[in-house]
């Protein structure tokens, strides 16, 4: 009975007996090399890869190229087992490097699958060479086949003889459509792939495509009896880069763990079977110098050949790294001469470094830090300086680079704070004290921050060389300290010093770190605002708000915009104040930074504007929102803003005593603020007046500064209500001409004069003044001055011309047919509202009274996604409740 053999496609075929069963060396053929590798029970067929590999049937050459353990062989075997045409499978071994042996095995693989070579082809007689006639005969015979044969050469990376590669290309070219060649390899074969690629004759599956997706990882783990949610599987895939062997070995180990999910999340790579695999398959097969390089670069996240040379003290990193990448040795090329190690490989190498070369790791970090600093990579410099425990170097690099402002900008502040939190007391240099001071002041720890700032300044003497950057950093911290302590003269001195120091530092550093100047100007503007120097404050803050730098200056720009909003509010420009406050929030959203910055000045301004518009519910919601912010404990300006807005809301609600208690800012300041003190006095005077003590109210007004028109007008209103008409008119007449007073001031002033005229019997003047006030107030939806004016105003508003001016926004207008009148409709915001398509979808469903869960189900999104859209809608519409959002959207014709 003839001997048979099961081919790669699973078909039993006879082995042609006319050919000897031995290779040219006389050794019997090893039939296991022709057999398809068995797929384990936990093998996961990935249809996307099988479908891609099907394209190999339309191209003469296919390449499955990936690192050890990427699942190449099992993929090819699974695909081959499903083919109908003959499949010749050959697992290449190191001994096949000799042409005669290699081709003898190829011919035997073809015979084993039933694609028998005729006697014309023959067999190689010499292990070291093969006759070209044999190759030509083989190519000709394959070319004449009706059914093409698929030849899979597994582990082709073991074939290193260029002569064999040339012979293989010769056969492939002349076999025409009779042969489809599939190479399964870890390395790039010597074939001219570019020609096949350009001609569309190459099918390629590489490491990136071989990597498991999170969904595939979940399915693979299920085959191992493990259940893992997709987010946890995503984290595992990120750590393993979807590496098949890493996932399988981790799954096998996790099955033995008491908590498989926790094991897969936190397993120690260096103490696992993964480590054994990588060390055996990748590291130990490399030459000694390559092993040394891999161990040393394991301390780096990413690296260039030059940086690798700096760590190894050699000069040959570039060809070694290129070769490792080409050979899929878990070295990934990132482009622009930059590499990184596979994350798991890096973990394992670092652990191996500590065992093989104990004590070297800190020195490697030190070398890396110095090379990176010379090359201008500051974040990496700081990370490696800290890892080396060289805090003087790390702090010096931060300060010398003029990057101290990054501790305050929000982009890297948390990372830097965390990094330098490990700095111990043994680090003693001016730079370390500057960094400590900045870290403390960023947390509003004034006691420690000021002490450390003084210590740094004592060491930065004028005769010390090359310390301009450190001194400029101190000037920034001085302006912040002045802002937080309410000491405007200190801020001015620091600003003057900073102007001088800017001439001494390299211009490219100032251009590189625009956040330093933006922060300095914002702190200076805040201090000037506290001092009541509104125009000077506006100049500094306007420059800061226009600072270049994109995301690096977004926080100082936002801070400056919010301060400008407060200035506009204090000057009586409610619309401008609202626009700037909302623009500050929009600027944060535009660059994708977390909301909000922390001080909450913008929200406080919006709350104060809402009080003036008599939107009391909205005002309270905004104040409640600011109460949840990480408030600037020692910052007097937002403290005064919070006190002012809270006290005004309490006064409107008739809680006079509570308003007085709330009016004082809960901070201490070196210098009293004229406007904050005056506003506090005005609240106290209004409370006395509300409680029937006009004389006490008038006495309190003696302490009010009338330099700000807003304060003067409010004082005049209280004097008039206390029966002191002459004093009220004197206050109004004392307002300097050309002031920047806005409608909130001019409307109140007009109403005070109108009340005085009405009291004097000049009704015509009173009507004219009230008409002007209504026209100015209507544009701003300014209601509070009219509601506070008292009974004298009602008869005037009832007259036809004035009633028409007040209708619809101050007095109820005629309701639409079938609509109930709404006594306190929310006015539209003074800025254009633009909602995204998804935000409109959510808003429309709110109008249909759908719950959050119902909206989520209707839109096929998560509840959290709906909440995110709701938060954005509320912010854009300047509301805090669903009903208010729907009403405001209808007013704006968004629904």
């Amino acid at each position: 009975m003839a001997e048979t053999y099961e081919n790669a496609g699973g078909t039993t075929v006879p082995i042609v007996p006319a050919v000897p069963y031995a290779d040219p060396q006389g050794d019997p053929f090893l039939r296991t090399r022709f057999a398809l590798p068995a797929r384990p029970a936990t093998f996961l067929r990935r249809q996307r890869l099988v479908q891609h590999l099907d394209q190999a049937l339309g191209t003469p050459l296919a390449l499955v190229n990936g690192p050890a353990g990427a699942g190449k062989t099992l993929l090819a075997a699974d695909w081959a087992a499903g083919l109908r045409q003959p499949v010749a499978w050959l697992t290449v071994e190191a001994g096949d490097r000799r042409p005669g042996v290699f081709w003898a095995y190829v011919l035997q693989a073809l015979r084993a699958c039933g694609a028998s070579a005729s006697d014309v082809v023959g067999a190689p007689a010499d292990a070291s060479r093969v006759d070209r006639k044999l190759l030509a005969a083989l190519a000709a015979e394959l070319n004449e086949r009706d059914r093409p044969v698929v030849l899979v050469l597994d582990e082709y990376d073991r074939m290193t003889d260029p002569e064999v590669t040339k012979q293989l290309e010769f056969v492939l070219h002349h076999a025409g459509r009779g042969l489809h060649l599939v190479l399964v390899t870890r390395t790039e074969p010597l074939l001219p792939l570019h020609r096949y690629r350009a001609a569309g004759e190459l099918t390629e599956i590489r490491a990136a495509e071989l990597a498991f997706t999170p969904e595939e990882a979940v399915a693979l783990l299920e085959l191992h009896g493990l259940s893992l949610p997709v987010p946890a599987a995503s984290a595992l895939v990120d750590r393993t880069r979807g590496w098949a062997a890493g996932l399988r070995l981790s799954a096998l180990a996790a099955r033995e763990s008491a908590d498989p999910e926790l094991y897969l999340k936190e397993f120690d790579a260096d103490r696992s079977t993964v480590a054994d695999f990588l060390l055996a398959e990748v590291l130990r097969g490399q030459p000694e110098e390559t092993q040394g390089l891999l161990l040393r670069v394991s301390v780096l996240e990413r690296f260039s050949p030059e940086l690798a040379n700096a760590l190894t003290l050699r000069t040959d990193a570039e060809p070694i790294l290129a070769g490792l990448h080409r050979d899929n040795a878990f070295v990934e090329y990132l482009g622009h001469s930059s590499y990184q190690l596979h994350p798991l490989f890096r973990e394992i190498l670092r652990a191996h470094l500590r065992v093989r070369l104990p004590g070297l790791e800190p020195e490697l970090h030190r070398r890396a830090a110095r090379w990176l600093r010379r090359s201008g990579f500051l974040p990496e410099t700081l990370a490696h300086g800290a890892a080396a425990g060289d805090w003087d170097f790390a702090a010096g690099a931060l300060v010398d680079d003029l990057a101290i402002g990054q501790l305050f900008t929000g982009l890297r502040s948390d990372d830097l704070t965390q990094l330098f939190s490990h700095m111990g007391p043994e680090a003693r240099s001016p730079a370390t004290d500057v960094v400590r001071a900045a870290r403390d002041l960023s947390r509003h720890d004034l006691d420690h921050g000021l002490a450390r700032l003084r210590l740094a300044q004592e060491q930065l003497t004028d005769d010390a060389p090359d310390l301009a950057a450190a001194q400029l950093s101190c000037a920034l911290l001085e302006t912040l300290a002045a802002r937080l302590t309410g000491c405007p003269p200190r801020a001015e001195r620091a600003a003057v010093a900073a102007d001088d120091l800017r001439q001494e530092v390299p211009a490219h550093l100032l251009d590189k770190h625009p956040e330093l100047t933006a922060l300095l100007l914002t702190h200076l503007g805040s201090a000037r605002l506290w001092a009541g120097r509104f125009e000077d404050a506006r100049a500094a803050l306007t420059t800061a708000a226009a600072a270049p730098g994109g995301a690096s200056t977004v926080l100082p720009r936002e801070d400056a915009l919010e301060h400008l909003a407060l200035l506009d509010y204090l000057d009586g420009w409610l619309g401008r104040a609202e626009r700037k406050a909302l623009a500050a929030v929009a600027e944060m959203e535009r660059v994708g930074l977390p909301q909000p910055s922390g001080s909450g000045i913008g929200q406080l301004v919006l709350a104060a504007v809402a009080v003036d518009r008599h939107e009391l519910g909205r005002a309270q919601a905004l104040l409640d929102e600011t109460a949840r912010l990480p408030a600037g404990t020692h910052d007097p300006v937002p403290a005064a803003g919070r006190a002012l807005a809270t006290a005004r809301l309490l006064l409107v609600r008739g809680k006079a005593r509570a308003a007085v208690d709330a009016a004082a800012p809960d901070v201490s300041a070196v210098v009293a603020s004229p406007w904050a003190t005056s506003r506090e006095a005005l609240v106290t005077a209004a409370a006395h007046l509300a409680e029937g003590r006009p004389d006490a109210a008038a006495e309190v007004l003696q302490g009010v500064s009338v330099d700000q028109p807003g304060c003067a007008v409010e004082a005049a209103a209280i004097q008039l209500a206390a029966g002191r008409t002459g004093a009220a008119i004197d206050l109004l007449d004392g307002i300097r001409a050309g002031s920047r007073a806005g409608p909130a001031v001019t409307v109140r002033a007009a109403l005070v004069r109108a009340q005085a005229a009405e009291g004097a019997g000049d009704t015509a003047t009173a009507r004219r003044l009230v008409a002007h006030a209504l026209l100015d107030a209507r544009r701003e939806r300014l209601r509070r001055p009219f509601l506070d004016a008292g009974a004298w105003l009602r008869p005037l508003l009832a007259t036809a011309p004035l009633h028409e001016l007040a209708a619809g926004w101050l007095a109820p207008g005629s309701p639409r047919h079938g609509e109930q009148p709404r006594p306190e409709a929310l006015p539209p915001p003074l800025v254009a509202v633009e909602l995204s398509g998804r935000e409109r979808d959510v808003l429309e469903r709110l109008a249909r009274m759908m719950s959050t869960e119902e909206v989520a189900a209707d839109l096929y999104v998560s509840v959290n996604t709906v909440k995110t859209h709701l938060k954005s809608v509320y912010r854009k519409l300047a509301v805090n409740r669903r009903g208010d959002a729907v009403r405001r959207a209808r007013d704006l014709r968004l629904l």
Side-chain angles (χ1 to χ4, degrees):
M1 183 176 181
E3 188 174 1
T4 61
Y5 195 81
E6 186 176 296
N7 73 356
T11 305
T12 301
V13 296
I15 294 179
V16 180
V19 182
Y21 299 111
D23 65 21
Q25 302 174 104
D27 296 328
F29 286 115
L30 302 175
R31 296 185 180 181
T32 54
R33 294 178 56 190
F34 308 128
L36 242 60
R39 276 83 71 204
T42 55
F43 172 76
L44 176 69
R45 167 174 282 198
R46 294 186 283 168
Q47 198 60 38
R48 63 181 177 89
L49 296 180
V50 172
Q51 290 173 350
H52 190 174
L53 203 46
D54 281 340
Q55 297 175 20
L57 300 177
T59 61
L61 179 62
L63 187 69
V64 182
N65 188 330
K72 308 180 297 298
T73 296
L74 291 180
L75 166 65
D78 182 54
W79 170 75
L83 295 179
R84 294 182 178 179
Q85 52 264 69
V87 177
W89 182 282
L90 175 61
T91 301
V92 178
E93 292 188 353
D96 297 343
R97 293 171 187 167
R98 289 169 294 180
V101 176
F102 173 77
W103 285 106
Y105 265 96
V106 169
L107 291 170
Q108 188 63 14
L110 291 169
R111 295 186 184 100
C113 75
S116 303
S118 67
D119 293 339
V120 176
V121 175
D126 186 343
S128 61
R129 60 181 299 278
V130 64
D131 194 317
R132 188 174 181 84
K133 292 181 179 180
L134 183 149
L135 300 177
L138 173 61
E141 187 167 299
L142 289 170
N143 184 261
E144 293 173 0
R145 287 183 59 85
D146 294 331
R147 296 179 64 204
V149 63
V150 177
L151 173 60
V152 181
L153 299 180
D154 188 27
E155 301 194 34
Y156 189 72
D157 45 277
R158 294 175 174 174
M159 175 51 66
T160 57
D161 187 344
E163 183 64 27
V164 170
T165 301
K166 289 180 182 178
Q167 295 166 353
L168 189 62
E169 184 187 4
F170 171 82
V171 172
L172 179 62
H173 176 70
H174 292 288
R177 297 183 178 180
L179 176 65
H180 297 296
L181 177 62
V182 179
L183 302 181
V184 181
T185 176
R186 298 184 189 181
T187 64
E188 202 77 351
L190 298 176
L191 291 165
L193 298 180
H194 61 282
R195 291 211 302 263
Y196 288 94
R197 193 178 290 120
E201 296 180 340
L202 176 64
T203 300
E204 294 181 86
I205 295 180
R206 294 187 175 269
E209 192 175 355
L210 289 168
F212 275 68
T213 66
E215 292 74 18
E216 289 170 346
V218 169
L220 177 67
L221 293 171
E222 286 177 351
L223 291 173
H224 287 78
L226 301 172
S227 178
L228 200 66
V230 172
S234 296
L236 181 61
V237 167
D238 286 343
R239 189 177 179 194
T240 61
R241 290 281 200 275
W243 178 45
L247 292 170
R248 288 194 177 95
L249 292 172
S250 300
L252 290 170
R255 288 198 305 190
E256 308 301 320
S257 171
D259 189 340
E261 184 173 341
L262 182 64
Y263 176 87
L264 291 172
K265 181 180 180 182
E266 300 179 354
F267 70 91
D268 293 327
D270 58 296
R271 299 182 180 180
S272 66
T273 53
V274 176
D276 297 337
F277 183 95
L278 284 173
L279 291 175
E281 292 288 330
V282 182
L283 183 65
R284 294 188 182 119
Q286 302 295 340
E288 190 65 31
E289 62 272 13
T290 302
Q291 292 189 35
L293 181 145
L294 287 171
L295 289 171
R296 285 164 174 79
V297 298
S298 68
V299 303
L300 304 169
E301 292 288 343
R302 57 179 59 195
F303 48 89
S304 65
E306 294 78 13
L307 177 53
N309 284 333
L311 266 61
T312 60
L313 305 180
R314 297 171 60 92
T315 59
D316 56 355
E318 186 166 9
I320 292 176
L321 291 171
L324 288 168
H325 169 65
R326 187 173 56 249
D327 294 345
N328 280 311
F330 292 84
V331 175
E332 302 167 2
Y333 182 62
L334 304 175
H336 305 288
S337 297
S338 183
Y339 294 86
Q340 70 179 9
L341 298 177
H342 185 286
L344 279 180
F345 194 33
R346 180 172 175 267
E347 285 182 56
I348 293 161
L349 287 173
R350 287 192 71 174
H352 205 53
L353 169 69
R354 294 171 190 139
V355 174
R356 282 183 53 174
L357 300 167
L360 181 61
E361 190 172 354
E363 174 59 25
L364 294 173
H365 282 296
R366 192 172 290 108
R367 292 178 194 172
R370 278 154 177 74
W371 186 92
L372 289 162
R373 185 176 183 182
R374 290 193 302 271
S375 302
F377 298 101
L378 181 64
E380 294 87 349
T381 296
L382 300 179
H384 287 286
D390 195 342
W391 295 108
D392 290 340
F393 175 85
L398 182 74
V399 172
D400 290 346
D401 199 72
L402 217 59
I404 197 70
Q406 292 187 356
L407 278 161
F408 304 94
T409 58
L411 292 171
R412 299 191 60 239
S413 56
D414 290 343
D415 292 340
L416 288 174
T417 299
Q418 176 65 25
L419 186 144
F420 282 104
S421 67
H422 302 290
M423 182 167 60
E426 72 283 352
R428 303 303 309 171
S429 68
T432 56
D433 286 326
V434 170
V435 171
R436 287 189 182 98
R439 186 184 62 195
D440 292 336
L441 290 174
S442 71
R443 298 183 298 207
H444 292 187
D445 182 353
L446 286 179
D447 291 339
H448 289 95
L450 293 175
R452 284 166 172 158
L453 180 57
R454 283 194 299 271
L455 186 60
Q457 290 168 328
E458 289 169 1
Q459 299 179 71
L460 296 171
T461 57
D462 292 336
D463 56 350
D466 302 325
L467 290 179
Q471 291 168 334
L472 184 52
S473 299
C474 285
L476 169 64
L477 300 184
E478 273 288 311
T479 59
L480 175 56
R483 168 182 174 174
L484 297 180
T485 57
C487 185
R490 183 177 186 176
E492 296 294 342
R493 291 193 297 271
V496 170
D499 284 339
D500 294 337
L501 289 165
R502 266 196 288 260
Q503 310 305 316
E504 300 180 29
V505 299
H508 75 275
L509 288 182
L510 290 170
D511 293 339
K512 180 181 177 182
H513 294 292
E515 73 276 358
L516 185 138
T517 300
L519 286 165
L520 195 150
L521 287 171
T522 301
H523 300 332
L524 177 63
S526 182
R528 287 175 173 176
L529 192 160
W530 179 250
R533 296 168 51 198
F534 285 3
E535 292 310 307
D536 292 338
R538 194 183 305 277
L541 292 167
T542 300
T543 304
S552 69
T553 58
V554 66
L555 280 179
R557 290 203 312 271
E558 181 218 17
D559 199 10
L561 275 172
E562 290 186 330
H563 277 77
L564 287 168
L566 179 57
L567 279 171
D568 282 336
Y569 175 79
L570 294 174
D571 281 338
W573 296 96
L574 270 61
R576 295 179 186 176
E578 182 181 56
R579 282 192 290 273
K580 287 187 175 72
L582 292 175
V585 178
E587 180 68 11
M588 293 284 289
E589 279 191 349
R590 187 180 66 81
V591 297
L593 286 178
Q595 300 271 354
S597 65
S599 70
I601 294 177
Q603 299 291 86
L604 294 169
V605 169
L606 292 174
V609 169
V611 171
D612 282 336
R613 291 176 176 163
H614 198 59
E615 300 171 12
L616 305 187
R618 178 172 169 245
Q620 186 63 63
L622 288 164
L623 286 173
D624 292 343
E625 189 173 326
T626 63
R628 294 191 292 269
L629 298 177
T633 310
H634 292 281
D635 196 338
V637 171
R642 184 173 290 105
L644 170 63
T646 303
R648 286 182 60 79
L649 180 58
L650 289 169
L651 270 179
V652 167
R653 287 179 165 169
K655 301 177 180 179
R657 283 296 92 198
V660 172
D661 294 338
D666 189 20
V667 293
S668 59
V670 174
V671 176
S673 171
W675 63 268
T677 303
S678 296
R679 301 277 174 168
E680 181 182 352
L682 287 168
V683 169
T684 303
H688 286 317
L689 191 64
E691 293 173 344
R693 296 193 297 275
D695 292 339
E699 184 177 350
V700 170
L701 292 179
Q702 300 303 313
V704 173
S705 169
V706 294
D707 290 341
Q708 272 88 40
C711 292
V713 169
E714 288 201 37
I718 293 173
Q719 290 281 26
L720 184 63
R724 301 169 184 267
T725 303
I729 298 301
D730 288 343
L731 284 169
L732 296 181
D733 291 342
I735 296 175
R736 66 182 184 278
S739 68
R740 298 175 58 93
V745 175
T746 58
V747 166
R748 283 186 173 87
L751 290 177
V752 170
R753 292 186 184 278
Q755 185 178 358
E758 179 70 8
D762 188 355
T763 301
T765 298
R767 286 178 178 172
R768 177 175 54 80
L769 289 168
V770 171
H772 282 301
L774 285 168
L775 285 170
D776 287 345
R778 183 168 62 179
R779 288 192 293 270
E780 301 270 4
R781 294 294 192 269
L782 179 60
R783 296 171 171 180
R784 238 6 286 165
F786 300 93
L787 299 176
D788 292 340
W792 69 272
L793 185 59
R794 294 193 189 99
L796 291 178
L797 290 178
T799 60
L802 297 184
H803 178 75
E804 184 177 344
L805 290 175
W809 68 276
L810 179 60
S814 302
R816 299 173 185 174
H817 179 70
E819 181 182 60
Q820 294 298 318
R822 291 183 276 118
E824 189 181 322
L826 289 171
L830 300 181
V831 292
V833 175
E834 296 182 2
L835 299 181
S836 69
R838 184 59 82 186
E839 288 167 351
R840 286 177 180 270
D841 291 340
V842 171
L843 191 58
E844 288 170 358
R845 284 156 179 79
L846 287 188
R848 299 191 329 238
M849 304 298 289
M850 294 174 69
S851 68
T852 303
E853 291 74 14
E854 290 170 336
V855 173
D858 198 45
L859 293 176
Y860 298 98
V861 297
S862 70
V863 171
N864 284 338
T865 299
V866 173
K867 290 179 179 177
T868 299
H869 289 312
L870 280 177
K871 184 177 179 181
S872 180
V873 168
Y874 291 167
R875 179 193 61 74
K876 290 180 179 180
L877 297 179
V879 298
N880 290 84
R881 293 183 177 85
R882 290 175 172 231
D884 291 346
V886 172
R887 285 194 294 273
R888 180 65 62 92
R890 283 175 175 154
D891 288 340
L892 294 173
R893 298 181 181 178
L894 297 175
L895 288 175

